[in-house]
Amino acid sequence: MNVKDFKDRTAVVIAGGNGIGRSIALALADEGVNIVVADIRADAAERVRDEVIARGRRAIAVPTDVTDLRQVNDLADAAYAEFGSVEILINNAGVAVRPFRAIWDTTYSDLEYMIGINIWGFVHGVHVFVPRMREQAGEKHMVNTSSNGALFKVPGNATYTMTKMAVEGLSSVIREELAPYDFGVTTLYPGLVATGAAAESGKLRSMDEQSYDQQVKPYYQYALDRGEVRGEDRGAGRGVIEHIGSGDSAYAIEPEVVGPMVVQAIRENRASCLTHIPPIPGIMARSEALLSGYKWPGGE
């Protein structure tokens, strides 16, 4: 089932303080949805709250660190106390590390940072909101932010890709589990969106971690050391990177265009929402590798 009538519904937008989250919050508000803006940065959440109110909708801002299950429970309590129900959940929190780095240069701190937000933060949102939303009458919908990078390969970005494929995997299965309860699930695959999120999310790290980010050898440098020629920098920062299988999808868009795409995906209950031209070479390569993966011993 899909949410066709948005008016007077309530949406919780996690990581709604800027970029993609802000765009989704405002696009939903323009459809008549009341908004709970959750963000680790209280000032950012409050700015978007005020923008929603200026559009004539009700809104609250709830500072939330999604790595803390207690805070996500508090977020749900605040949303239900204010609005009585939540029909739409936007599970949008996500971070990466810059510059892109080889797996052997990726520290446990890097892993804990990305897994903590990209996987555990996502799981907390599902774990806390699904039981409450499932018991509600009527249509509900969840949007979970994966990444276009889960559909092709970016050497140097392995840990981020791992976390976003986890979002993709869980979303695809719970879409089937929740369908009998008038509960749709969409996986959002943003490509390169000009949000400045990498620079901003890096500021959430400790000073020691930020210092390491400045000193670590960028992955592209290993390729240059081998004498490989690389193309243009497509957004990783501090060097030239490689997209394997991205096709025509490696271009930047403004965050403002993403919100209306997500609104339409919710309205149509689409399993996937891609913000860019599909990376067909990467999708096909992955499918072909799987289809050719079974070889009977001694067979053709």
Side-chain angles (χ1 to χ4, degrees):
M1 188 65 70
N2 52 321
V3 177
K4 304 181 190 73
D5 181 10
F6 288 91
K7 187 171 176 54
D8 295 324
R9 305 294 181 99
T10 297
V12 173
V13 183
I14 294 175
N18 65 9
I20 291 171
R22 171 181 175 271
S23 176
I24 296 171
L26 298 182
L28 286 169
D30 288 342
E31 296 288 333
V33 178
N34 300 315
I35 306 294
V36 178
V37 186
D39 203 286
I40 194 170
R41 296 151 299 192
D43 57 341
E46 290 163 1
R47 282 195 298 269
V48 176
R49 174 203 61 195
D50 293 345
E51 289 184 275
V52 171
I53 292 171
R55 281 167 153 78
R57 303 310 306 169
R58 293 171 59 199
I60 60 172
V62 183
T64 307
D65 178 352
V66 295
T67 67
D68 184 340
L69 179 59
R70 178 187 58 80
Q71 291 192 39
V72 179
N73 273 304
D74 290 346
L75 168 65
D77 288 344
Y80 277 86
E82 181 69 23
F83 296 107
S85 64
V86 173
E87 286 75 30
I88 300 169
L89 173 65
I90 309 296
N91 230 340
N92 180 58
V95 293
V97 293
R98 295 293 191 274
F100 288 177
R101 60 203 61 177
I103 192 63
W104 54 87
D105 291 325
T106 302
T107 66
Y108 265 88
S109 179
D110 295 337
L111 289 160
E112 289 171 347
Y113 173 59
M114 285 185 278
I115 291 170
I117 295 174
N118 298 1
I119 295 182
W120 276 113
F122 161 59
V123 168
H124 289 161
V126 172
H127 181 77
V128 168
F129 280 93
V130 163
R132 299 194 195 199
M133 294 174 69
R134 190 178 69 84
E135 293 301 321
Q136 295 173 199
E139 301 164 342
K140 289 82 60 175
H141 204 94
M142 180 192 309
V143 176
N144 300 319
T145 301
S146 178
S147 170
N148 214 18
L151 304 176
F152 55 86
K153 300 173 186 176
V154 181
N157 203 27
T159 301
Y160 176 80
T161 301
M162 172 187 71
T163 64
K164 290 305 184 178
M165 292 186 82
V167 172
E168 177 187 54
L170 183 59
S171 296
S172 68
V173 176
I174 64 175
R175 177 177 169 86
E176 303 304 320
E177 294 179 354
L178 292 172
Y181 303 96
D182 287 343
F183 202 141
V185 178
T186 297
T187 305
L188 174 62
Y189 295 89
L192 181 57
V193 181
T195 64
E200 289 300 315
S201 65
K203 295 176 182 177
L204 301 175
R205 310 193 76 193
S206 70
M207 294 307 297
D208 286 344
E209 290 167 330
Q210 291 185 53
S211 177
Y212 182 76
D213 290 343
Q214 293 300 315
Q215 298 170 21
V216 66
K217 184 175 183 176
Y219 179 80
Y220 83 95
Q221 189 62 54
Y222 287 103
L224 297 182
D225 291 348
R226 296 191 297 265
E228 296 178 12
V229 177
R230 290 295 178 89
E232 61 182 319
D233 185 337
R234 293 176 174 176
R238 289 180 57 196
V240 180
I241 61 171
E242 182 181 14
H243 292 70
I244 301 173
S246 63
D248 296 325
S249 69
Y251 56 91
I253 63 173
E254 294 301 317
E256 288 74 17
V257 306
V258 177
M261 293 180 181
V262 171
V263 167
Q264 191 63 23
I266 296 171
R267 180 174 280 119
E268 297 174 1
N269 190 23
R270 296 207 306 268
S272 302
C273 178
L274 278 71
T275 64
H276 288 59
I277 295 170
I280 293 173
I283 294 171
M284 293 300 295
R286 185 165 81 170
S287 298
E288 289 167 4
L290 288 168
L291 292 171
S292 65
Y294 175 72
K295 297 291 185 181
W296 185 259
E300 292 294 326

